[in-house]
């Protein structure tokens, strides 16, 4: 004889089959409702009644997709630090962000040098990119660095998109030399097209804002490439030599020198430009007293072999 529990289970299966649910677990995702059903089972010697209720639980899952928009700002590499407006500033040389963003030097100072307000000359470029900077790299003497350019520059018959920049005030369109003792032009030590903005025994002192910087200004086809030197003389830290070398994308054959601070007036330097160690060349000065003064500009035109002093 079957037990009462077995009978009830069989009745439940019959009802489920009648409702086309052969396997209730298989259809748990289907919504259905079975009202309470009265089942009467007669057994000897008594009759018992159960109420069997079949129910299903319907689970509704709502998937919420959240779209997050992230605004990625520019990346500033030290000594550049990002301002609240999203710009990068060089806190080692920026007069209005000296040492930290937002700190403005008082009018008693003329520059921000190595992150401190100073009376030393200031770097003129607004967005100066350091080739070598003493505040980060320390002191340097008689070195040169390769710089790849975003556009071609031309002097004489040489066109290039890379230059070698020396710490002694010389830029080369080919291989440079570390020689620090200046001579009259043409200088045979420099075999390729060479710019002598201020060829002298210059030195970059540590813990200052001295160094060599560059910046690109303007739009394509009309861009200007500016190199800026801020140095001292070897073993003479308070003698300043501060000048820029400017090339013009739309003016091939032209180079411009702008002088800000020249402590000795040019008495121990060579200024000019040459095509090779044998010439042709344009010499402005060689160890000539008071030949190079602050706020002076020289423009060399290698197309005509002439220079202009402003």
């Amino acid at each position: 004889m079957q037990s009462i529990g077995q009978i009830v289970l069989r009745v439940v299966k019959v009802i489920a089959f009648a409702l086309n649910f052969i396997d209730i677990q298989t259809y748990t995702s289907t919504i259905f409702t079975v009202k309470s059903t009265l089942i009467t089972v007669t057994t000897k010697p008594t009759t018992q009644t159960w109420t069997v209720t079949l129910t299903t639980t319907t689970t509704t899952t709502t998937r919420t997709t959240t779209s997050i928009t992230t605004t990625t700002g520019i990346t500033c590499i030290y000594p550049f630090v990002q301002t609240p407006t999203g710009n990068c500033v060089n806190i080692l040389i920026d007069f209005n962000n000296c040492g930290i963003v937002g700190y403005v030097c008082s009018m008693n100072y003329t520059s921000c040098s190595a992150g401190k307000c100073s009376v030393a000359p200031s770097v003129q470029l607004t967005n100066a990119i350091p080739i070598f900077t003493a505040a980060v790299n320390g002191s340097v003497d008689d070195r040169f660095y390769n710089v790849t350019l975003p556009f071609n520059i031309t002097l004489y018959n040489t066109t290039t998109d890379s230059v070698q920049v020396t710490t002694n005030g010389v830029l080369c369109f080919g291989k440079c030399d570390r020689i620090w003792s200046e001579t009259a032009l043409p200088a045979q030590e420099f075999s390729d097209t060479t710019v002598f903005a201020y060829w002298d025994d210059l030195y970059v002192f540590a813990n200052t804002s001295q160094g060599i910087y560059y910046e690109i200004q303007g739009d394509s086809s009309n861009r200007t490439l500016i190199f800026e030197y801020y140095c001292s003389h070897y073993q003479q830290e308070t003698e300043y030599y501060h000048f820029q070398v400017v090339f013009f994308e739309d003016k091939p054959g032209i180079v411009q020198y702008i002088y800000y601070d020249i402590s000795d007036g040019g008495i121990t330097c060579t200024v000019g430009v040459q095509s090779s160690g044998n010439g042709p060349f344009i010499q402005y000065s060689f160890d000539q007293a008071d030949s190079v003064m602050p706020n002076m500009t020289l423009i060399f035109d290698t197309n005509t072999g002439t220079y202009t002093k402003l």
Side-chain angles (χ1 to χ4, degrees):
M1 177 182 293
Q2 293 180 328
S3 67
I4 294 175
Q6 290 174 322
I7 295 172
V8 172
L9 181 59
R10 288 174 62 85
V11 171
V12 170
K13 288 184 177 181
V14 170
I15 295 172
F17 181 80
L19 293 172
N20 294 321
F21 291 99
I22 299 174
D23 185 351
I24 294 177
Q25 291 182 351
T26 304
Y27 295 90
T28 54
S29 62
T30 304
I31 301 174
F32 67 92
T33 302
V34 180
K35 293 183 179 180
S36 296
T37 303
L38 184 63
I39 302 173
T40 301
V41 180
T42 302
T43 60
K44 293 180 180 179
T46 61
T47 299
Q48 298 184 26
T49 301
W50 291 270
T51 299
V52 179
T53 303
L54 296 180
T55 61
T56 61
T57 301
T58 302
T59 302
T60 302
T61 302
T62 302
R63 177 176 295 175
T64 302
T65 302
T66 303
S67 178
I68 301 175
T69 302
T70 302
T71 301
T72 303
I74 58 177
T75 300
C76 304
I77 301 175
Y78 186 83
F80 290 90
V81 176
Q82 190 171 5
T83 67
T85 58
N87 297 321
C88 291
V89 295
N90 188 335
I91 61 172
L92 297 181
I93 62 175
D94 193 316
F95 192 83
N96 296 311
N97 298 278
C98 191
I100 60 174
V101 172
Y103 187 84
V104 181
C105 295
S106 72
M107 298 308 296
N108 296 327
Y109 300 98
T110 58
S111 67
C112 175
S113 182
K116 298 180 181 179
C117 297
S118 171
V119 294
S122 61
V123 175
Q124 299 296 303
L125 294 176
T126 304
N127 298 301
I129 301 171
I131 298 172
F132 184 95
T133 176
V136 175
N137 307 118
S139 300
V140 67
D141 185 35
D142 302 332
R143 296 284 300 275
F144 59 81
Y145 304 91
N146 296 311
V147 180
T148 301
L149 310 176
F151 59 89
N152 289 329
I153 56 176
T154 301
L155 288 179
Y156 291 105
N157 295 319
T158 303
T159 298
T160 185
D161 63 355
S162 65
V163 295
Q164 288 190 338
V165 180
T166 80
T167 57
N168 289 325
V170 179
L171 294 86
C172 303
F173 280 31
K175 189 178 185 307
C176 247
D177 194 290
R178 300 179 184 181
I179 186 170
W180 54 267
S181 181
E182 72 279 359
T183 67
L185 301 183
Q188 295 183 355
E189 296 85 354
F190 300 90
S191 58
D192 297 308
T193 298
T194 305
V195 169
F196 301 93
Y198 199 93
W199 182 18
D200 199 356
D201 189 11
L202 303 182
Y203 191 90
V204 174
F205 283 88
N207 302 315
T208 70
S209 286
Q210 293 185 355
I212 307 172
Y213 306 87
Y214 78 100
E215 181 176 323
I216 308 295
Q217 297 178 354
D219 300 322
S220 180
S221 75
N222 291 290
R223 288 170 290 187
T224 301
L225 169 64
I226 306 172
F227 291 95
E228 182 165 342
Y229 279 78
Y230 170 22
C231 309
S232 290
H233 202 277
Y234 181 70
Q235 295 184 336
Q236 296 172 320
E237 185 173 356
T238 57
E239 286 194 6
Y240 299 120
Y241 300 85
H242 188 190
F243 53 92
Q244 291 181 345
V245 182
V246 186
F247 297 93
F248 306 92
E249 185 177 17
D250 61 345
K251 297 177 182 178
I254 305 293
V255 63
Q256 178 177 276
Y257 309 156
I258 303 172
Y259 300 96
Y260 297 103
D261 290 278
I262 302 295
S263 291
D264 66 4
I267 197 170
T268 61
C269 80
T270 298
V271 176
V273 60
Q274 69 181 34
S275 177
S276 72
N278 298 315
F281 67 94
I282 309 169
Q283 179 175 290
Y284 166 73
S285 66
F286 167 59
D287 289 356
Q288 181 180 340
D290 301 325
S291 59
V292 184
M293 304 300 291
N295 303 314
M296 187 182 84
T297 298
L298 294 172
I299 302 173
F300 290 83
D301 187 343
T302 62
N303 302 306
T304 61
T306 60
Y307 71 83
T308 302
K309 179 180 176 181
L310 301 177

